[in-house]
Amino acid sequence: MANIGWDEFEIGAMLRTFNGAIEDITGTLQEDRNYSPNSSFTASVADWRIEKPVFNKDYCIDCQFCWVYCPDISIVSRDKKMIGVDMDHCKGCGICVEVCPTNPKSLLMFPEKADEETEIANWPAKEDKEK
Amino acid sequence: MSEMKKIKNLKEFSTSADRFEGANLLCPGCAHSIIVREVLNATNDDLILSASTGCLEVCTAVYPYTSWDASWIHIGFENGSTAVAGAEAMYNALKRKGRLKQPDRNPKFVSFAGDGASYDIGFQWISGCMERGHNIMHIVLDNEVYANTGGQRSSSTPIGSSATTAPAGRVSYGEKKNKKDMVAIMASHNIPYSAQVAPNKWKDMVKKIQHGMAVEGPVFINAVSPCTTEWKFDPKDTMMLTDLATDSLVFPLYEIIDGCELNITYRPKNVLPVEEYLAAQGRFKHLFKDEYKHLIGEWQKRIDANWEYLNRREEARV
Ligand SMILES: Cc1ncc(C[n+]2csc(CCOP(=O)(O)OP(=O)(O)O)c2C)c(N)n1
Ligand code: SF4
Ligand code: SF4
Ligand code: SF4
Ligand SMILES: [Mg+2]
């Protein structure tokens, strides 16, 4: 083998998350980022779900519990308001529904095939607090 | 030094632009990513990250994808800590020589690793980093088992937990040894900051991460990470499990400053019986059989004693 220096070895693999550089990443929201095809943001795990969360904004108090505890960065909050679920990245775990404090809940799980508008129209009523 | 990100409340926190992405391959309901998000979102500074082999690494770097929007490196199982320590040393050398293009940026060096990678296999590497005084933070995603290879016991696995290499059955109640006290061991290196955190207490987490990033020198963080697959509970219950962990004092939240000054940072209003924590997980199911029931009482005694110990240390400021 030729006598080569440490900095001439081939590196394992390097992936670039973005096309080009982003100077201020924490000041750039996902919709404004130019993701490269190597970012998992461009992939989908929607087919993992058996059930999906449906969001009913009528009851939401924007507490952001769902945002902070969603493991899959799938609760979209902008300007301190919860605005919806990212269905490409949601795995249907149901954590957001469990942590939602409103009565009735502002997020509920339904079968993947359920129609969102129908479910929102038939949203359960307020539950009596006695458990 | 760069300015600390201001996070007064959860609404403010929710304006963070995540640097960790979805469509990673962690199980639905995995707490690893909840912890990672809270850590990364605690700062606006540049990040230089590593992950040791384990669920987090394997599931967020599946070629040709990466789930990281920051410099991130993986080498092996044992050396995630030394990977960022090396980067930190190089950064300091370049800074000294005036060769940094943007010397005013203040990057943070963070190593993520599982309990297997930290308590066992990367132990001497981490100890070396702490002893040499690198300006890095090592964070353990503590799910008390080698989750990524199918649930072998580690030295973080607690007594009575059923693991594939310490299975419960007719002749055994599972793991026989108690969990290693890693926070105390790391604090004994006289590092400026070590702490235990939990993702349900996001504010306590953010405060500790920010404190750890602000101090000069090595920082050790142990984060409880309930694992739906190995602890055997429903993915929707990850946060409920974390609440049980902190409120039963099985995972008390505290910090140790300069290796000695211990502060308890969370005191549950209603302390829950340890039994409730155990009963919520399949890995402890056999403890509720007649022949092993006595272990639940022993668990409670051990947790009570540990709480008493932490309180005494806090009081004595040692
Ligand atoms: C030196 C070495 N030994 C063993 C393995 C196999 N291995 C890969 S991941 C893993 C388990 C990781 O457990 P832990 O560090 O607790 O992380 P977790 O997956 O639980 O998050 C093991 C044993 C390896 N990759 N390298
Ligand atoms: S179901 Fe799980 S992954 Fe989907 S939005 Fe809710 S918390 Fe996130
Ligand atoms: S947890 Fe419920 S109330 Fe709170 S922001 Fe989410 S949907 Fe709205
Ligand atoms: S096995 Fe456990 S730690 Fe690993 S991805 Fe699944 S839930 Fe997370
Ligand atoms: Mg583990």
Side-chain angles (χ1 to χ4, degrees):
Chain A
M1 204 171 103
N3 204 6
I4 55 172
W6 66 271
D7 53 351
E8 290 165 293
F9 280 106
E10 194 169 322
I11 50 175
M14 192 171 92
L15 301 177
R16 291 186 181 278
T17 312
F18 306 110
N19 298 315
I22 297 180
E23 257 315 295
D24 176 22
I25 180 78
T26 56
T28 311
L29 292 168
Q30 289 172 319
E31 54 271 31
D32 301 320
R33 296 174 182 175
N34 188 3
Y35 287 101
S36 89
N38 290 127
S39 170
S40 70
F41 181 81
T42 63
S44 171
V45 286
D47 58 357
W48 287 29
R49 280 192 308 268
I50 298 161
E51 293 193 312
K52 64 178 177 188
V54 171
F55 175 50
N56 185 337
K57 69 175 186 320
D58 291 351
Y59 300 102
C60 175
I61 55 170
D62 291 311
C63 66
Q64 304 302 337
F65 288 159
C66 57
W67 175 83
V68 73
Y69 298 130
C70 169
D72 289 292
I73 314 101
S74 299
I75 298 291
V76 187
S77 292
R78 294 293 179 262
D79 299 325
K80 306 184 182 177
K81 297 236 177 310
M82 151 60 164
I83 58 173
V85 182
D86 171 350
M87 284 310 200
D88 286 334
H89 299 137
C90 167
K91 292 172 186 160
C93 67
I95 289 177
C96 53
V97 171
E98 288 303 303
V99 300
C100 181
T102 61
N103 185 5
K105 285 186 182 287
S106 313
L107 282 158
L108 287 171
M109 298 304 282
F110 292 98
E112 181 64 20
K113 290 201 181 90
D115 175 58
E116 207 170 308
E117 275 172 38
T118 316
E119 299 306 345
I120 290 177
N122 299 311
W123 208 256
K126 188 173 170 166
E127 238 178 87
D128 283 338
K129 283 261 167 154
E130 34 145 21
K131 262 193 222 161
Chain B
M1 212 194 83
S2 56
E3 234 175 77
M4 206 177 281
K5 180 171 172 181
K6 288 195 182 63
I7 304 165
K8 281 201 304 286
N9 50 46
L10 195 46
K11 283 191 189 214
E12 205 163 39
F13 199 29
S14 77
T15 62
S16 305
D18 274 286
R19 281 183 274 181
F20 184 65
E21 300 293 354
N24 56 61
L25 303 188
L26 293 159
C27 299
C30 176
H32 281 3
S33 61
I34 306 174
I35 297 163
V36 168
R37 285 188 65 213
E38 289 178 10
V39 170
L40 303 197
N41 284 333
T43 179
N44 282 333
D45 286 330
D46 293 334
L47 291 165
I48 293 162
L49 309 170
S50 77
S52 301
T53 315
C55 282
L56 181 71
E57 174 270 323
V58 166
C59 299
T60 63
V62 186
Y63 195 79
Y65 292 118
T66 168
S67 301
W68 302 86
D69 303 340
S71 306
W72 180 92
I73 187 170
H74 162 68
I75 302 175
F77 199 173
E78 63 287 347
N79 50 14
S81 57
T82 44
V84 284
E88 183 254 5
M90 181 191 71
Y91 182 87
N92 288 338
L94 292 176
K95 193 169 194 169
R96 228 176 14 248
K97 292 178 184 168
R99 280 170 56 193
L100 288 179
K101 285 197 192 125
Q102 295 174 295
D104 301 333
R105 297 184 88 113
N106 194 27
K108 299 295 184 287
F109 297 84
V110 182
S111 142
F112 289 103
D115 51 294
S118 304
Y119 285 56
D120 299 337
I121 296 180
F123 188 70
Q124 64 167 317
W125 280 258
I126 300 167
S127 177
C129 288
M130 300 292 148
E131 178 264 320
R132 288 191 299 274
H134 289 283
N135 198 13
I136 66 166
M137 179 182 285
H138 183 86
I139 301 179
V140 183
L141 303 160
D142 186 9
N143 56 14
E144 304 190 314
V145 74
Y146 287 83
N148 192 63
T149 37
Q152 297 79 13
R153 57 84 65 187
S154 77
S155 58
S156 173
T157 306
I159 291 182
S161 174
S162 185
T164 51
T165 48
R170 251 181 308 114
V171 294
S172 172
Y173 53 77
E175 175 60 31
K176 300 252 167 20
K177 308 283 191 314
N178 201 19
K179 190 184 167 89
K180 200 188 250 182
D181 187 350
M182 195 60 174
V183 180
I185 295 169
M186 287 298 135
S188 303
H189 291 68
N190 289 322
I191 54 175
Y193 196 64
S194 42
Q196 182 147 277
V197 299
N200 58 334
K201 302 294 168 197
W202 68 269
K203 210 170 189 174
D204 180 76
M205 168 92 77
V206 165
K207 215 172 142 196
K208 286 171 177 164
I209 297 300
Q210 291 191 334
H211 184 101
M213 285 178 172
V215 298
E216 273 296 316
V219 170
F220 178 82
I221 305 280
N222 198 66
V224 55
S225 187
C227 167
T228 132
T229 305
E230 296 300 339
W231 294 19
K232 301 190 169 52
F233 61 83
D234 195 300
K236 73 175 180 7
D237 292 329
T238 303
M239 296 324 296
M240 189 262 278
L241 240 297
T242 321
D243 285 342
L244 285 170
T246 54
D247 290 21
S248 63
L249 302 174
V250 172
F251 276 88
L253 302 184
Y254 60 98
E255 60 186 9
I256 304 177
I257 298 181
D258 294 330
C260 65
E261 208 175 296
L262 189 147
N263 301 308
I264 292 169
T265 59
Y266 171 64
R267 289 174 183 280
K269 279 193 201 84
N270 287 316
V271 176
L272 302 172
V274 170
E275 187 170 345
E276 272 185 47
Y277 171 74
L278 301 175
Q281 307 169 56
R283 64 174 173 155
F284 295 119
K285 197 173 64 192
H286 53 284
L287 297 186
F288 292 82
K289 287 186 184 155
D290 284 342
E291 62 264 44
Y292 298 139
K293 255 192 175 142
H294 63 281
L295 287 163
I296 298 175
E298 285 175 22
W299 253 94
Q300 185 67 56
K301 275 199 202 115
R302 198 167 51 248
I303 297 304
D304 289 347
N306 185 51
W307 184 239
E308 164 87 16
Y309 160 78
L310 293 173
N311 274 282
R312 282 187 179 209
R313 274 194 66 176
E314 183 184 61
E315 223 176 277
R317 316 306 294 146
V318 291

